[in-house]
């Protein structure tokens, strides 16, 4: 008797019902936030390119905050270091949840999205480095095109009216989570200034207190919010980028449920904070970072200077090739079978969508060229052009498959027995078939009753033998 064929792992297969619900809820908030992000970016660009541009610059450069605490910062600086700490706090919770309860908890299942994300960050950096090596440009911005902006990507999906199947949406979200992890590491390792060890020690002591309070089950925002602000201030003054404090606190939250809990503390806090991050923190950061002066000459310079051309090609070409190529090679190496309802062009389309690198790319651009305001603005313009180009390319590719996606989404959400659970999760259970039989019998009885009241002749099944 021949041995059974070894089980081949599935790629982009159906999610579990709890994971599907979590992904749907998370992406709904991110989609709304992405639309606000787009609006904030448009306002910033219009404001910075009209006669009101002086008022934009004045507000952006306005300094507020206690100088005695080392926090006399510009409004733009507060948005980048302060508000984005909230964004990275949510990213920390997402990463923790993915590691303990999501797609990354199983090393075999995590291999494909992790390899795709790593290749999707390495390839843009290599493209940027190649362009700047050939063109004798600066290698300082190698990390700018490595990031993916999930909110911006989802806003593009909302605008073009394409609803991805849940497996593709989950793949995009997992890519973004791993992407955020590596962006955090890049910021921590490559953009840390001269260290103030006293402040850094204080930040670590504050994080230890934060962790201890969580372990003891202490509750109350009035305890954690002031402590988080102290940790953030100390981290900022330590020379380490202040957003790292947000990530560290997010990773400390428990993201597994215990007996009697419907949601873990991490998921509960993420549910509360995510709208603040997606709806306020990130759009305000975009408002004060995306306002760059753009003229015909400036746009032309983006495609002639090695630094800016490297950013554009890194986002559009590097991201797409890196994610698609890494995914295809990993699937071949692991012999993973692609979901038969999807095709490799679908993966390519999602890979091109990941070339939208708005928020974190703008942040890294500010950090990489902090001493050169003119070059910083040029890099920001390159990020905007690269993200827009990637968005247009992805829109075209996704529109080619929109009917297939719509059919898959309808099938995923079909709930004929109206019990709140999609039928694809029940159709192989006896209980489901019993409910469906009862529903069909009830509908048949209603039809016969309507026919009787209307005076219509009974069908053959109703006639007496």
């Amino acid at each position: 008797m021949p041995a059974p064929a070894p089980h081949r792992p599935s790629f982009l297969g159906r999610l579990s019902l709890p994971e599907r619900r979590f992904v749907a809820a998370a992406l709904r908030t991110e989609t709304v936030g992405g639309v606000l992000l787009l609006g904030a970016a448009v306002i910033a660009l219009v404001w910075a390119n009209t006669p009101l541009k002086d008022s934009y610059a004045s507000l952006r450069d306005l300094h507020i905050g206690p100088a005695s605490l080392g926090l006399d910062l510009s409004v733009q600086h507060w948005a980048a270091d302060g508000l984005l700490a909230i964004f990275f706090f949510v990213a920390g919770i997402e990463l923790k949840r993915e590691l303990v309860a999501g797609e990354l908890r199983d090393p075999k299942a995590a291999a494909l999205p992790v390899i795709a994300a790593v290749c999707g960050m390495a390839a843009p950096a290599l493209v940027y480095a190649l362009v700047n090596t050939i063109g004798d440009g600066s290698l300082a911005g190698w990390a700018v095109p490595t990031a993916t902006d999930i909110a911006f990507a989802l806003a593009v999906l909302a605008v073009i009216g394409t609803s991805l199947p849940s497996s593709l949406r989950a793949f995009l979200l997992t890519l973004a989570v791993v992407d955020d992890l590596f962006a955090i590491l890049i910021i921590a390792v490559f953009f840390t200034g001269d260290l103030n060890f006293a402040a850094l020690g204080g930040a670590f002591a504050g994080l230890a207190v934060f962790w201890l309070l969580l372990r003891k089950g202490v509750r109350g925002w009035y305890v954690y919010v002031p402590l988080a602000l102290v940790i953030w201030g100390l981290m900022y003054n330590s020379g380490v980028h202040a957003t790292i404090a947000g990530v560290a606190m997010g990773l400390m939250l428990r993201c597994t449920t215990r007996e009697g809990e419907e949601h873990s503390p991490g998921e509960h806090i993420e549910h509360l904070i995510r709208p603040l991050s997606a709806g306020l923190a990130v759009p305000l950061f975009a408002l004060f970072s995306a306002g760059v002066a753009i003229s015909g000459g400036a746009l032309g310079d983006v495609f002639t200077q090695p630094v800016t051309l490297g950013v554009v090609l890194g986002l559009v070409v590097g991201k797409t090739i890196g994610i698609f190529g890494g995914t295809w090679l990993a699937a071949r190496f692991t012999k993973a079978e692609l979901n038969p309802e999807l095709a490799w062009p679908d993966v390519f389309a999602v890979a091109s969508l990941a070339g939208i690198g708005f928020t974190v790319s703008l942040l890294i651009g500010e950090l990489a060229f902090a001493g050169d305001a003119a070059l910083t603005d040029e890099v920001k313009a390159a990020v905007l052009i690269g993200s827009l180009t990637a968005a247009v390319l992805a829109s075209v590719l996704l529109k080619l498959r929109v009917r297939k996606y719509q059919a898959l989404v309808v099938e995923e959400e079909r709930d004929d027995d109206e019990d709140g659970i999609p039928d694809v999760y029940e159709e192989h259970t006896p209980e489901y078939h019993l409910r469906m039989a009862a529903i069909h019998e009830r509908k048949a009885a209603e039809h016969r009753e309507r026919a009787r009241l209307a005076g219509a002749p009974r069908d053959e099944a109703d006639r007496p033998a």
Side-chain angles (χ1 to χ4, degrees), residues 2-19:
H7 174 69
R8 300 181 70 182
S10 176
F11 172 51
L12 294 179
R14 184 184 303 162
L15 302 175
S16 67
L17 184 58
E19 187 68 11

Side-chain angles (χ1 to χ4, degrees), residues 124-214:
L126 290 174
V127 168
Y128 177 93
L130 180 63
V131 171
N132 281 270
T133 299
I134 295 173
D136 196 25
S138 170
L139 295 178
W142 65 270
V144 175
T146 60
T148 294
D149 193 316
I150 183 67
F152 207 138
L154 292 171
V156 170
L157 292 178
V159 170
I160 66 174
T162 298
S163 181
L164 292 180
S166 60
S167 56
L168 284 176
R169 286 181 289 161
F171 180 61
L172 184 60
L173 181 61
T174 305
L175 275 177
V177 170
V178 180
D179 196 288
D180 286 342
L181 168 62
F182 285 102
I184 291 160
L185 294 175
I186 288 172
I187 291 171
V189 173
F190 295 99
F191 298 105
T192 293
D194 296 332
L195 291 178
N196 180 330
F197 288 100
L200 186 60
F204 278 120
L207 288 171
V209 173
F210 189 89
W211 177 82
L212 185 61
L213 292 174
L214 290 173

Side-chain angles (χ1 to χ4, degrees), residues 22 44 144 149 168 223 234 246 253 271 287 292 328 346 348-349 377:
F22 173 82
V144 175
D149 193 316
L168 284 176
V223 174
L234 288 168
L253 295 177
H271 179 73
L287 180 64
V292 294
W328 186 83
D346 299 317
F348 189 85
D377 281 351

